[in-house]
Amino acid sequence: MSSVEPALPLLADPPEAPHIVDGYLDLLGDAPSGAPTLGQRFMTSRLLPVIYERVWRPIGFRLAFGTSGVATPLEDAATYELLELQRDDRVLDVACGPGNISRRLLKRLGPSGLLVGIDASPTMLARAVADTDAANAVYMRADAERLPFASESF
């Protein structure tokens, strides 16, 4: 389980008492009042990461790129070249899901770099934390439309 401490200074309004759930920082808190919508129920379903990794990602990648959805060395090289990643960069992975891309990006960052992944789905974030073994990776439950970070954090 990773620590969220390295990312706290990047927040525009850091919480006094960070709310850590399953190893990620939860900045969204409780669900909205009222009956949850079908979409809200699905986002908290434990099936979501499984469906994403075994169905959506492979089918989507096969249709779009003719690949299986598993990163290829060519895809990795193109990603690193386009992002011009340096070993001490701070990288934000928006809608990180179960952390597949986050873990690929971590391969390019040195120990002084930082990867922050955000997503709205608690089950996707729990999976990302469980599958990521890096001290310089932090996951947060946050709103991608209202990023919680100070300007020029990444």
Side-chain angles (χ1 to χ4, degrees):
M1 204 177 294
S2 67
S3 168
V4 300
E5 295 297 320
L8 292 178
L10 303 176
L11 294 172
D13 187 22
E16 287 183 28
H19 182 61
I20 311 299
V21 177
D22 292 331
Y24 62 85
L25 175 61
D26 189 345
L27 296 174
L28 296 180
D30 294 331
S33 60
T37 65
L38 179 61
Q40 289 168 331
R41 286 196 309 264
F42 185 63
M43 288 297 285
T44 60
S45 165
R46 295 225 178 263
L47 286 176
L48 180 60
V50 174
I51 291 169
Y52 171 79
E53 290 181 321
R54 295 187 185 166
V55 180
W56 288 344
R57 185 170 165 80
I59 289 173
F61 269 70
R62 184 163 287 131
L63 291 173
F65 307 110
T67 66
S68 67
V70 176
T72 65
L74 182 60
E75 182 184 354
D76 284 347
T79 299
Y80 302 146
E81 183 178 332
L82 289 170
L83 293 177
E84 299 178 1
L85 291 177
Q86 303 299 315
R87 297 194 49 76
D88 61 347
D89 282 344
R90 282 181 274 179
V91 178
L92 177 62
D93 185 359
V94 178
C96 67
N100 298 349
I101 304 291
S102 300
R103 286 185 295 281
R104 286 181 37 222
L105 296 173
L106 277 165
K107 292 177 186 176
R108 276 305 257 236
L109 297 176
S112 61
L114 178 65
L115 182 288
V116 177
I118 68 165
D119 204 285
S121 170
T123 55
M124 289 287 227
L125 289 165
R127 179 70 172 266
V129 170
D131 290 351
T132 305
D133 185 23
N136 60 335
V138 176
Y139 292 101
M140 297 182 183
R141 185 166 170 251
D143 186 343
E145 292 182 10
R146 289 181 226 56
L147 293 174
F149 306 102
S151 295
E152 301 182 26
S153 292
F154 299 92

